[in-house]
Amino acid sequence: MNKLIEIQSVTASYDAKTVLQDVSLTLRENDFLGIIGPNGGGKTTLLKVILGLLKPSRGQVVFYEEGRPVPSLRMGYLPQINRIDRRFPVSVSEVVASGLMVEKKRLRNFSPGQRQRIADTIDWIGLGGLSKRPIGELSGGELQRVLLGRAIVSHPKVLILDEPNTYVDKLFESRLYGLLAEINRDTAVILVSHDVGTILPLVKNVACVNETLHYHEGNRLTEAWLDEAYHCPVAPVGHGELPYGILRKQHIASE
């Protein structure tokens, strides 16, 4: 499949602290990449580099369309919900519509086709009856759905989600992952999560970010790979139908 994003030997820092060191990664069309790793390991920093929110100190990010380098890609982004100001006086439909602002002609109203796309997206995320409701009156799970709608209404080439299950209500969580599987038919997905056991059945490939990046083709992780990627002893553990959890190995001294 054609490449969409190529991260080439990227190093990224905040002030004097290096967060990513010589990271390389290729994302292809219709990939579903799960990004895991310990807290503070650089997962969100990697997303910022991809989105152009943080300039790497070394290396570069190259975008491709139909096999040719392009200046940018249409990307949708679902951030962690705690970065959203819920006091801002906007409605569900206005938030979803903001995902089309790049397409909208300046000082013009949305076209009938764009308005229909906004309405269809709100219905698709299950909030058709709440389109005029202010976001401050929504539950955490409802707001997360709205932000997902904003991220996908433009039909992006790449959808990026940062810990989407952190604030999603349990009633919507399983549906969210079903929606992502549908989205992935036409869109590459990057999903960042600390919940390894939940995302592994969903993703096609895995990258562990812990300052450096370890890439694993497929979603069948081994204990040896996890040890190397996390830089500390860990073990895959099964819980019911979830194939993996991440636990530190415990060394118990004999009495």
Side-chain angles (χ1 to χ4, degrees), residues 22 24 38 41-42 56 100 113 119 124 138 142 159 170 172-173 177 185 190 210-211 218:
D22 195 26
S24 295
L100 288 179
W124 193 70
L138 301 177
E142 289 169 339
L159 174 63
K170 293 301 178 182
F172 184 65
E173 185 173 358
Y177 293 129
R185 294 172 186 170
I190 299 175
N210 191 8
E211 186 174 334

Side-chain angles (χ1 to χ4, degrees), residues 116-182:
Q116 186 61 54
R117 207 189 320 170
I118 293 165
D120 289 345
T121 299
I122 294 173
D123 286 340
W124 193 70
I125 59 176
L127 295 178
L130 302 179
S131 62
K132 301 302 181 183
R133 182 164 296 184
I135 62 170
E137 297 179 9
L138 301 177
S139 69
E142 289 169 339
L143 179 55
Q144 197 75 331
R145 299 189 208 188
V146 174
L147 299 178
L148 176 62
R150 181 183 68 177
I152 64 175
V153 70
S154 66
H155 298 165
K157 291 286 186 179
V158 180
L159 174 63
I160 299 175
L161 307 100
D162 191 0
E163 301 282 6
N165 61 331
T166 304
Y167 292 91
V168 171
D169 55 72
K170 293 301 178 182
L171 290 175
F172 184 65
E173 185 173 358
S174 60
R175 184 167 181 231
L176 169 65
Y177 293 129
L179 293 177
L180 293 181
E182 290 183 38

Side-chain angles (χ1 to χ4, degrees), residues 86-229:
R86 300 182 61 168
R87 298 170 297 178
F88 198 71
V90 290
S91 68
V92 167
S93 62
E94 288 170 328
V95 173
V96 173
S98 68
L100 288 179
M101 293 305 293
V102 174
E103 297 182 21
K104 181 174 174 290
K105 293 183 179 180
R106 192 175 183 183
L107 302 180
R108 298 280 185 90
N109 293 326
F110 286 109
S111 69
Q114 289 170 327
R115 289 197 296 271
Q116 186 61 54
R117 207 189 320 170
I118 293 165
D120 289 345
T121 299
I122 294 173
D123 286 340
W124 193 70
I125 59 176
L127 295 178
L130 302 179
S131 62
K132 301 302 181 183
R133 182 164 296 184
I135 62 170
E137 297 179 9
L138 301 177
S139 69
E142 289 169 339
L143 179 55
Q144 197 75 331
R145 299 189 208 188
V146 174
L147 299 178
L148 176 62
R150 181 183 68 177
I152 64 175
V153 70
S154 66
H155 298 165
K157 291 286 186 179
V158 180
L159 174 63
I160 299 175
L161 307 100
D162 191 0
E163 301 282 6
N165 61 331
T166 304
Y167 292 91
V168 171
D169 55 72
K170 293 301 178 182
L171 290 175
F172 184 65
E173 185 173 358
S174 60
R175 184 167 181 231
L176 169 65
Y177 293 129
L179 293 177
L180 293 181
E182 290 183 38
I183 292 168
N184 187 228
R185 294 172 186 170
D186 302 305
T187 303
V189 178
I190 299 175
L191 172 60
V192 171
S193 181
H194 67 278
D195 191 349
V196 182
T198 298
I199 72 166
L200 279 181
L202 305 169
V203 302
K204 297 173 181 175
N205 301 295
V206 180
C208 179
V209 178
N210 191 8
E211 186 174 334
T212 58
L213 185 145
H214 290 253
Y215 180 82
H216 187 283
E217 188 172 350
N219 61 1
R220 304 293 298 179
L221 303 188
T222 65
E223 183 176 341
W225 186 86
L226 289 168
D227 282 355
E228 181 181 6

Side-chain angles (χ1 to χ4, degrees), residues 5 7 10 12 14 19-20 23 25 27 33-36 41-56 61 63 75-80 83 158-164 189-193 207 209 213:
I5 300 174
I7 301 169
V10 160
Y14 296 107
V19 181
L20 297 176
V23 166
L25 178 68
L27 183 78
L33 177 67
I35 297 180
I36 62 174
K43 300 188 298 295
T44 297
T45 299
L46 179 60
L47 298 190
K48 289 181 178 180
V49 170
I50 294 172
L51 291 163
L53 302 176
L54 178 66
K55 185 177 180 180
V61 179
F63 303 110
M75 291 188 283
Y77 177 45
L78 181 63
Q80 293 185 30
R83 298 177 184 175
V158 180
L159 174 63
I160 299 175
L161 307 100
D162 191 0
E163 301 282 6
V189 178
I190 299 175
L191 172 60
V192 171
S193 181
V209 178
L213 185 145

